[in-house]
Amino acid sequence: MLGDAPSEHRASRVRAAKGHGGLLRNQLLDIADHLLEDGGADALTIRAVATRAGVSPPAVYLHFASKRELVHAACLRVWSSLFTELEAVSRDIADPVTALHETCAAYIAFGLRHPSPYRLVMAGEATEASRQNEDACFRYFRDKVAACRDAGVPVESRTETARVLCAGVHGAVSLLIHQERDAWPSDSDRYVRRAASSAVHGALLTASQAPTPSVADVLRLGSRNSRPDRSRRDLN
């Protein structure tokens, strides 16, 4: 399948101890993760992974039949940690809208921490990793929107509202990861929180009707939101 069979000497180098094949596979994925983060998809090759692992390329091919499969596996592993993070930040929050906000903030922060895997899954060549993760993310956010609707938030269509929400958080990530780092906001935490707030407010406040905004609307909402802060300043 890979051309000439490896020599007996080379085969002896790559043969994992019985029961340790999974360990080597995880080590190769660790290396693939670092290569992706440091240099993107172009830096992730079978030969580069083999060199860093101190094994021959056929050792890598024992676990991954091609570069495409290696990239697929690396992206799936990175993205599998996303849902753990999303659940961790929202699990103990009773208010479903606040939980949705924290979920959106965690999603944006995740994308900014892992720009190469994010680009590959969301904007790169379509793979099974892309389909699995895009579908899983959308279903996850749709369930969060449904929880808001169950709590009384007027939502005509949870699917449409989830689309609008995903457009907001995905856009917040994509805007930055396609730029050089020196063009990113100096206060990335503020950017993440504001983008998450914008996505949630924009999606939920237009979930039953979407009137054309006006200066009067913005001033009215802004005055309402700033009133508690002004009261606290008066008390101080």
Side-chain angles (χ1 to χ4, degrees):
M1 181 176 67
L2 301 175
D4 295 337
S7 67
E8 183 178 347
H9 171 68
R10 179 170 294 179
S12 66
R13 284 184 58 201
V14 304
R15 187 179 295 117
K18 185 176 181 180
H20 291 275
L23 178 61
L24 176 59
R25 187 179 192 276
N26 286 332
Q27 291 170 338
L28 296 175
L29 284 173
D30 287 340
I31 294 169
D33 288 343
H34 289 302
L35 289 170
L36 269 179
E37 297 292 356
D38 293 343
D42 291 341
L44 178 52
T45 65
I46 296 293
R47 185 169 296 279
V49 171
T51 299
R52 287 205 182 185
V55 299
S56 65
V60 181
Y61 280 116
L62 289 174
H63 298 276
F64 308 101
S66 64
K67 173 183 173 176
R68 180 186 177 91
E69 186 176 315
L70 177 60
V71 170
H72 165 93
C75 288
L76 278 180
R77 192 170 73 151
V78 171
W79 277 76
S80 67
S81 67
L82 168 64
F83 297 101
T84 302
E85 292 184 26
L86 298 185
E87 278 301 298
V89 300
S90 63
R91 184 183 302 115
D92 298 326
I93 300 177
D95 187 313
V97 176
T98 303
L100 178 60
H101 173 267
E102 294 304 312
T103 298
C104 289
Y107 179 96
I108 297 169
F110 172 89
L112 298 182
R113 284 199 314 275
H114 303 286
S116 291
Y118 191 94
R119 279 194 298 267
L120 283 169
V121 168
M122 289 301 197
E125 181 183 5
T127 66
E128 187 60 26
S130 301
R131 287 185 288 272
Q132 287 183 24
N133 285 294
E134 288 174 356
D135 289 347
C137 282
F138 182 78
R139 289 194 302 271
Y140 187 89
F141 279 112
R142 188 174 59 187
D143 288 345
K144 291 294 185 183
V145 168
C148 294
R149 184 176 64 180
D150 291 344
V153 176
V155 175
E156 286 189 0
S157 169
R158 60 176 187 152
T159 297
E160 179 184 272
T161 302
R163 286 197 187 104
V164 173
L165 184 72
C166 289
V169 295
H170 174 64
V173 176
S174 297
L175 178 67
L176 295 192
I177 65 174
H178 288 92
Q179 301 180 36
E180 297 296 329
R181 288 268 182 174
D182 57 9
W184 288 26
S186 56
D187 189 344
S188 59
D189 288 340
R190 172 179 164 79
Y191 172 82
V192 167
R193 305 295 294 182
R194 186 176 178 188
S197 180
S198 176
V200 172
H201 281 92
L204 294 184
L205 290 176
T206 60
S208 61
Q209 56 179 342
T212 301
S214 66
V215 171
D217 291 335
V218 173
L219 291 177
R220 184 178 68 255
L221 291 172
S223 174
R224 183 187 305 167
N225 292 335
S226 64
R227 200 169 298 147
D229 294 333
R230 193 160 52 242
S231 299
R232 282 194 292 270
R233 286 197 299 270
D234 292 342
L235 288 173
N236 291 335

